[in-house]
Amino acid sequence: MFFKLNTSIGQPFYVQLMQQIRHAAESGALQDGDQLPGIRTLAEELVVSPNTVARAYSELEHEGLLELRQGSGAFLTIKRRARGLTERVQAASRKVEDLIEELHQEGLQDNEIWRLFETALFHRAEIGAE
Amino acid sequence: MNPTPVIETIGLSKTYGKTDAVSGLNLRVMPNCITAFLGLNGAGKTTTIKMLLGMIRPSGGEARVLGRQIDSSDESVELRRSVAYVSESQRLYDYMTVAQIIRFTRSFYPAWCADTEKTLLRMYELPPNRKIKSLSKGMRRKLALLLAFARKPDLLILDEPSDGLDPVGIEQLLETLVSQCSTGTSIFFSSHQIAEVERVADRVCMIHKGRLVMDASLDEVRESYRQIDLVFNALPDEYELRMPGVERIESRGHQVRMIVSANAESVIERARAYYPSSTEVSPIGLREIFLDRVKEN
């Protein structure tokens, strides 16, 4: 893959590398199992300190996006991860709105719906459900 | 996690007559890093480096290189084996050919790396059978670099290594610095070229008029150094805006320009209390910081 480092955007090089690798993984430019160049090779290519590349790789390894194998470089590990939290919250919020709409049509008032939700959640907490 | 510095100076000073070439320098250079020593011509870079190598005697203070006291003569031989040095005034044996001096130098260093020798000979396009006295300045520089790099030293000290090199030569030099660092050599190089420092260095130590004016990692610089431009109807007192991280405040009419090395957010928060009609924050490069430090001192 191609990298581009910018000295004038006020962002450490290792952060720029991490973002570009993440973006390549999201856009499909990099796929599961793809190999990235070794630390030394990439540092020489970009003419940046090897510590910069090492830091980007090790933080991405920590995030679970890269797997570093001794001597053979870095491999992408894109798993079917759970959808992002924001996405899930948005979907849930749509479901809740639909439900409220439906209950309105059945003649329930906001305060009654509110109590129903509260009671249901309270009940779940009481019985120790998740 | 605090590794021993490869270079450590405490109050290192050098006086020539009444001139302080270097004064009270406290330097810490960490291992496995590329550290740039940035300063204008005549800022004290070469004097510092020569003291570190035991080539001139300090007027005051002390220094350790690879954990060894620099002025102890028993240790200086050991030190010279593990530290390689390239300077602008390097003397090479003029009567030898390129191949001869390589063979000659190799015989002193058991850790000599034949691979590096071969790679650099090719990359630098050095003619093996040419006599050193008939090499151009740039070629001599490249030869000196090859001899230093192929030794696989623990510490490389380079005084203005890019001087006399053309843009391609500089690029090759920086690439070689990177590959040396990735095989475990610590690098300390002086330069007045901000662009090369900004690209390749992990840390930068800035010296001006013999004094250390900045010591920071480039990541820190990119992450935390900001210029904040504010416009006020009623200008607050400068004193009100002074807080940790503020390096400089300048005002012109209704405008205030601040350079901060940290805490940009709290500085802006503080400024908000004075109702600025405009607030602008922008990253600031090594070049502006350097010029600012030079101006200030």
Side-chain angles (χ1 to χ4, degrees):
Chain A
M1 83 171 268
F2 297 106
F3 293 97
K4 192 172 70 184
L5 296 179
N6 190 333
T7 52
S8 60
I9 54 170
Q11 214 173 40
F13 282 167
Y14 80 91
V15 176
Q16 296 185 35
L17 285 179
M18 286 172 67
Q19 284 173 349
Q20 288 169 32
I21 293 169
R22 259 191 235 121
H23 183 250
E26 281 158 16
S27 68
L30 283 177
Q31 313 234 326
D32 191 37
D34 276 359
Q35 188 177 4
L36 285 171
I39 290 171
R40 180 177 173 176
T41 313
L42 186 55
E44 283 176 4
E45 185 191 313
L46 299 172
V47 200
V48 295
S49 168
N51 297 314
T52 301
V53 181
R55 180 152 184 201
Y57 279 12
S58 88
E59 301 224 348
L60 286 173
E61 184 183 37
H62 201 73
E63 286 181 12
L65 188 63
L66 275 188
E67 190 191 323
L68 300 180
R69 290 179 209 158
Q70 198 67 41
S72 54
F75 295 85
L76 243 75
T77 50
I78 305 171
K79 301 200 179 74
R80 277 243 153 261
R81 283 185 283 183
R83 277 180 294 171
L85 184 64
T86 8
E87 216 176 309
R88 277 180 288 153
V89 170
Q90 277 168 358
S93 145
R94 279 192 298 272
K95 275 188 201 162
V96 172
E97 279 165 28
D98 288 350
L99 180 61
I100 292 172
E101 181 67 45
E102 206 178 314
L103 295 174
H104 276 165
Q105 281 169 7
E106 288 173 18
L108 274 99
Q109 304 285 317
D110 276 352
N111 58 353
E112 287 161 337
I113 298 172
W114 182 274
R115 269 205 306 281
L116 285 170
F117 265 97
E118 224 172 31
T119 315
L121 285 169
F122 182 72
H123 179 66
R124 282 177 66 81
E126 281 287 86
I127 61 170
E130 247 199 7
Chain B
M1 208 191 88
N2 239 336
T4 320
V6 286
I7 298 174
E8 186 169 26
T9 74
I10 300 164
L12 193 69
S13 305
K14 179 70 188 177
T15 317
Y16 291 110
K18 281 182 182 165
T19 320
D20 291 331
V22 172
S23 49
L25 195 69
N26 298 322
L27 211 57
R28 281 166 71 84
V29 176
M30 299 322 264
N32 302 314
C33 284
I34 303 179
T35 305
F37 194 32
L38 190 65
L40 299 173
N41 290 323
K45 303 189 297 283
T46 300
T47 308
T48 304
I49 287 176
K50 285 189 167 163
M51 286 194 278
L52 294 176
L53 293 162
M55 294 161 77
I56 54 178
R57 192 172 279 281
S59 317
E62 52 182 295
R64 286 173 169 274
V65 175
L66 296 177
R68 298 189 173 91
Q69 210 74 34
I70 52 163
D71 42 11
S72 134
S73 50
D74 330 332
E75 305 212 88
S76 77
V77 176
E78 226 357 83
L79 208 53
R80 270 160 209 241
R81 295 192 75 82
S82 29
V83 180
Y85 162 66
V86 177
S87 81
E88 42 195 342
S89 56
Q90 198 106 33
R91 281 171 52 206
L92 299 168
Y93 298 102
D94 268 357
Y95 59 86
M96 287 191 186
T97 64
V98 170
Q100 279 169 338
I101 200 165
I102 290 175
R103 225 176 309 135
F104 176 74
T105 310
R106 182 170 49 196
S107 66
F108 292 99
Y109 300 101
W112 187 268
C113 180
D115 261 0
T116 307
E117 176 198 314
K118 235 191 293 166
T119 312
L120 293 183
L121 206 54
R122 204 172 339 110
M123 186 193 266
Y124 293 164
E125 297 177 335
L126 290 166
N129 299 316
R130 182 92 60 87
K131 281 224 157 75
I132 291 171
K133 64 175 171 229
S134 59
L135 293 180
S136 70
K137 193 183 165 207
M139 287 239 186
R140 275 169 199 244
R141 172 50 57 94
K142 288 177 179 171
L143 178 57
L145 289 168
L146 180 151
L147 296 176
F149 289 144
R151 278 173 50 182
K152 289 273 159 240
D154 295 332
L155 171 63
L156 249 173
I157 297 182
L158 308 168
D159 194 5
E160 300 275 357
S162 63
D163 244 25
L165 297 180
D166 58 27
V168 175
I170 293 175
E171 202 59 22
Q172 292 169 337
L173 164 75
L174 296 179
E175 230 171 84
T176 323
L177 291 187
V178 168
S179 74
Q180 288 276 313
C181 177
S182 52
T183 55
T185 299
S186 310
I187 296 167
F188 183 64
F189 78 106
S190 74
S191 173
H192 58 266
Q193 301 292 339
I194 289 160
E196 65 192 37
V197 167
E198 195 160 46
R199 182 115 199 140
V200 86
D202 290 301
R203 291 193 76 83
V204 56
C205 301
M206 252 184 225
I207 186 176
H208 187 57
K209 292 189 178 160
R211 294 176 183 279
L212 194 69
V213 292
M214 177 174 165
D215 176 3
S217 85
L218 267 295
D219 284 343
E220 253 167 69
V221 169
R222 293 193 184 104
E223 200 146 36
S224 334
Y225 276 72
R226 293 290 183 268
Q227 177 173 297
I228 305 173
D229 284 300
L230 300 154
V231 179
F232 294 99
N233 282 324
L235 214 57
D237 196 272
E238 257 185 33
Y239 178 81
E240 303 293 333
L241 298 174
R242 286 227 173 266
M243 53 190 289
V246 175
E247 300 285 322
R248 188 179 192 81
I249 303 183
E250 230 180 321
S251 43
R252 264 181 217 172
H254 290 278
Q255 282 177 294
V256 175
R257 172 166 286 183
M258 293 200 266
I259 290 176
V260 302
S261 59
N263 293 325
E265 270 156 41
S266 357
V267 174
I268 294 166
E269 203 50 51
R270 168 80 62 91
R272 286 233 169 92
Y274 300 91
Y275 304 106
S277 55
S278 151
T279 309
E280 221 176 285
V281 187
S282 40
I284 171 167
L286 198 55
R287 186 189 148 77
E288 288 93 344
I289 298 170
F290 180 58
L291 293 175
D292 183 66
R293 295 291 154 104
V294 168
K295 193 165 66 178
E296 193 178 356
N297 291 273

